Amino acid sequence: MTVVLDPRNAPEPDVLVVHAEATRNLDQDRYEAADVVLAVEVVSPDSEDRDRDTKPRRYAAAGIPHFWLVEMAGEREHPVVHTYELDPVTKSYAITGIHHERLKLTVPFTIDIDLTQIDHM
């Protein structure tokens, strides 16, 4: 789904979590930045710069409160998840964790995933 950040920017995050009330219209094909709780980008070779630099800066400027960056790392190429939270004063993301084996969080929602059980395809 497209996220409208401003009149000239409407990226499509790899994973998107929105407020429940934003999903009332089943025909919609986009969300406003204010609807988004979490945007997730999975780093791939052809979008590495956008995923690590451009998109996080734009998501932060639009006020999206949480951002995760996922990349494959290590010998067995399991996902590593970098989690960020928006600093409302600076309008930039502050890192809240780097998760190598387990993604266990209570913010922005409770989640517990064993990352070692996810295979690279």
Side-chain angles (χ1 to χ4, degrees):
M1 293 287 274
T2 299
V3 177
V4 179
L5 303 178
D6 60 47
R8 297 183 55 174
N9 290 290
E12 295 179 357
D14 293 312
V15 177
L16 187 61
V17 177
V18 298
H19 295 284
E21 56 272 6
T23 64
R24 301 219 188 270
N25 178 0
L26 299 178
D27 294 331
Q28 72 189 72
D29 62 353
R30 60 185 53 220
Y31 292 106
E32 298 298 319
D35 297 329
V36 180
V37 175
L38 167 67
V40 181
E41 293 294 342
V42 179
V43 176
S44 61
D46 62 329
S47 65
E48 198 169 336
D49 288 339
R50 287 188 309 272
D51 293 341
R52 288 192 175 130
D53 183 46
T54 306
K55 287 183 176 182
R57 284 187 294 107
R58 290 186 176 156
Y59 295 153
I64 295 174
H66 298 275
F67 172 71
W68 296 354
L69 185 70
V70 181
E71 52 192 329
M72 303 310 274
E75 190 175 295
R76 295 190 55 210
E77 289 205 7
H78 289 296
V80 173
V81 181
H82 302 252
T83 58
Y84 300 86
E85 188 169 340
L86 184 65
D87 179 335
V89 174
T90 63
K91 284 284 192 185
S92 62
Y93 288 119
I95 193 157
T96 59
I98 302 173
H99 308 269
H100 293 271
E101 295 181 4
R102 177 167 237 93
L103 176 62
K104 186 173 183 176
L105 303 170
T106 57
V107 175
F109 45 80
T110 301
I111 189 170
D112 186 357
I113 299 173
D114 183 351
L115 298 172
T116 65
Q117 298 301 311
I118 300 173
D119 290 327
H120 177 63
M121 293 185 190

